[in-house]
Amino acid sequence: MGKEFTDKLRSDYLRYLKLERSVTPNTLAAYAADVDKLLTFLRHEGISAEQATLANLQAFAAQLHDIGIGPRSQCRILSGVRSFYRFMVIDGYMKDDPTELLESPVIGEHLPEFLTPDEVDRLEDSIDLSKPEGHRNRAIIEVLFSCGLRVSELVALQWSQVYEKERYLRIMGKGRKERLVPVSDRALHEIANYLPWRESLKIKPGEEGYVFLNRRGAHLTRTMILIMLKRQAEEAGLQKTISPHTLRHSFATALLEGGADLRVIQALLGHESIGTTEIYTHISMQTLRREVLEHHPRNISRHSSPIPHQP
């Protein structure tokens, strides 16, 4: 079948993701990029998507490796390919799914970076509050750490989602799944400190509902927050690689080390699978091991000076 059919198939797939799966715009763009990589590969092979076999898709996966795409990114792309073929079976384009036996590369376990509460305090204390956006940046850091939000959830946060009296936020997460997240008094205090500057802005039409705004009165972007955090980490003298997701990891790790149940952390983070949340048990074990190595007398004695010979 020709290019027109392929373009229609692609269009129908993206419409299915948007309308039936309710994926976010960022996820939709990622899936579109994945299927475009596959369709380009198959076009060079001289076959259409519905003609592809497991061997063709294995060759596609091998090409991803050959051009230098890392294992984690390969897994994400192949996940998009599986989604595409599931749609083709559901909509009757194909009878059998050729991706059923398609394997993803094995990736090593990656333990995400996180900050201790003291390091978060250092980050916040390094902010120059005499600058116009100082209180805003401090409020952003505190909300990310206190509530464990994704950066996409933070930039989209509206006043209608903030329940100050009840002390919680109503968050619309991935797949438009809603969850309630408690918000600390400290985070609410930092937001209150930011309000005078926000009220001095000339807010653009349509932007009035967003909690966090830039100097031009428009809502912030993820990139703006990433740049701010990296700059602030340098100011604070933190040697770790900091991103908005670092504060989300820090939120979860602090809860786990404080004794919170893993299922509670899963609900607060909005993880669909408990397996995603279990990564924090590994972080906690790392911390515990470090504490034992540094403070247990059996370990301390190894680093003490040798026992002098008796006369």
Side-chain angles (χ1 to χ4, degrees):
M1 298 189 184
K3 184 177 184 301
E4 285 186 8
F5 175 80
T6 300
D7 289 344
K8 182 181 182 303
L9 178 62
R10 179 186 183 278
S11 178
D12 288 348
Y13 170 58
L14 297 180
R15 188 180 301 110
Y16 157 78
L17 291 175
K18 184 176 181 179
L19 300 180
E20 296 191 35
R21 294 273 301 278
S22 300
V23 302
T24 64
N26 288 330
T27 302
L28 187 67
Y31 276 122
D34 296 338
V35 77
D36 286 345
K37 288 183 179 68
L38 173 69
L39 294 175
T40 299
F41 171 82
L42 294 177
R43 187 170 62 251
H44 290 155
E45 294 291 303
I47 58 176
S48 61
E50 68 276 10
Q51 293 171 329
T53 64
L54 174 61
N56 297 133
L57 297 177
Q58 288 172 332
F60 171 69
Q63 188 194 65
L64 295 177
H65 171 78
D66 292 344
I67 62 178
I69 295 177
R72 195 168 297 275
S73 294
Q74 289 178 45
C75 287
R76 190 195 58 75
I77 293 168
L78 293 178
S79 176
V81 169
R82 291 188 187 91
S83 171
F84 178 56
Y85 275 98
R86 281 196 296 271
F87 157 76
M88 291 179 68
V89 171
I90 290 170
D91 264 36
Y93 289 103
M94 300 182 71
K95 183 179 179 182
D96 299 311
D97 183 354
T99 68
E100 284 184 350
L101 299 178
L102 182 64
E103 295 182 353
S104 292
V106 177
I107 54 178
E109 188 176 74
H110 171 67
L111 299 182
E113 193 83 89
F114 69 96
L115 300 178
T116 65
D118 285 344
E119 288 173 325
V120 176
D121 288 341
R122 280 174 57 191
L123 195 63
E124 293 181 355
D125 291 343
S126 69
I127 295 172
D128 184 353
L129 296 179
S130 67
K131 291 184 177 180
E133 67 275 21
H135 282 293
R136 181 205 64 189
N137 292 348
R138 191 176 172 108
I140 286 171
I141 292 171
E142 187 58 38
V143 169
L144 286 171
F145 177 61
S146 293
C147 302
L149 303 188
R150 298 178 177 93
V151 65
S152 57
E153 295 166 348
L154 182 101
V155 297
L157 187 66
Q158 304 265 330
W159 288 114
S160 60
Q161 297 172 258
V162 180
Y163 294 79
E164 182 179 357
K165 184 178 179 181
E166 294 83 0
R167 299 292 194 269
Y168 71 82
L169 305 179
R170 181 169 49 84
I171 300 301
M172 191 66 71
K174 286 187 175 181
R176 300 195 61 78
K177 291 184 178 177
E178 191 176 272
R179 70 185 191 278
L180 300 179
V181 179
V183 59
S184 67
D185 288 341
R186 179 163 170 175
L188 290 171
H189 174 73
E190 297 297 349
I191 292 174
N193 287 340
Y194 146 68
L195 285 181
W197 179 71
R198 186 188 185 280
E199 290 168 357
S200 71
L201 299 173
K202 185 178 180 180
I203 301 176
K204 293 185 175 180
E207 302 287 292
E208 299 89 350
Y210 289 98
V211 174
F212 294 109
L213 302 176
N214 61 28
R215 293 187 181 195
R216 296 180 297 279
H219 69 277
L220 295 170
T221 66
R222 296 184 300 174
T223 302
M224 289 176 184
I225 293 179
L226 175 62
I227 292 171
M228 179 274 287
L229 283 175
K230 287 187 175 296
R231 185 185 300 124
Q232 212 55 58
E234 291 179 7
E235 292 286 333
L238 296 175
Q239 302 302 311
K240 295 178 179 178
T241 302
I242 307 298
S243 73
H245 221 61
T246 308
L247 291 167
R248 180 168 157 87
H249 292 316
S250 305
F251 163 82
T253 304
L255 281 176
L256 187 68
E257 293 186 346
D261 184 88
L262 204 60
R263 291 286 180 184
V264 172
I265 299 173
Q266 177 190 4
L268 292 173
L269 291 174
H271 284 162
E272 192 167 324
S273 167
I274 190 67
T276 309
T277 315
E278 283 175 346
I279 186 71
Y280 298 105
T281 63
H282 299 292
I283 299 173
S284 186
M285 287 304 298
Q286 276 194 333
T287 304
L288 291 173
R289 182 176 183 277
R290 184 174 64 246
E291 291 297 310
V292 169
L293 288 175
E294 290 181 0
H295 301 297
H296 194 281
R298 292 299 191 209
N299 295 307
I300 294 172
S301 63
R302 289 188 308 172
H303 304 292
S304 60
S305 57
I307 300 174
H309 294 291
Q310 297 296 320

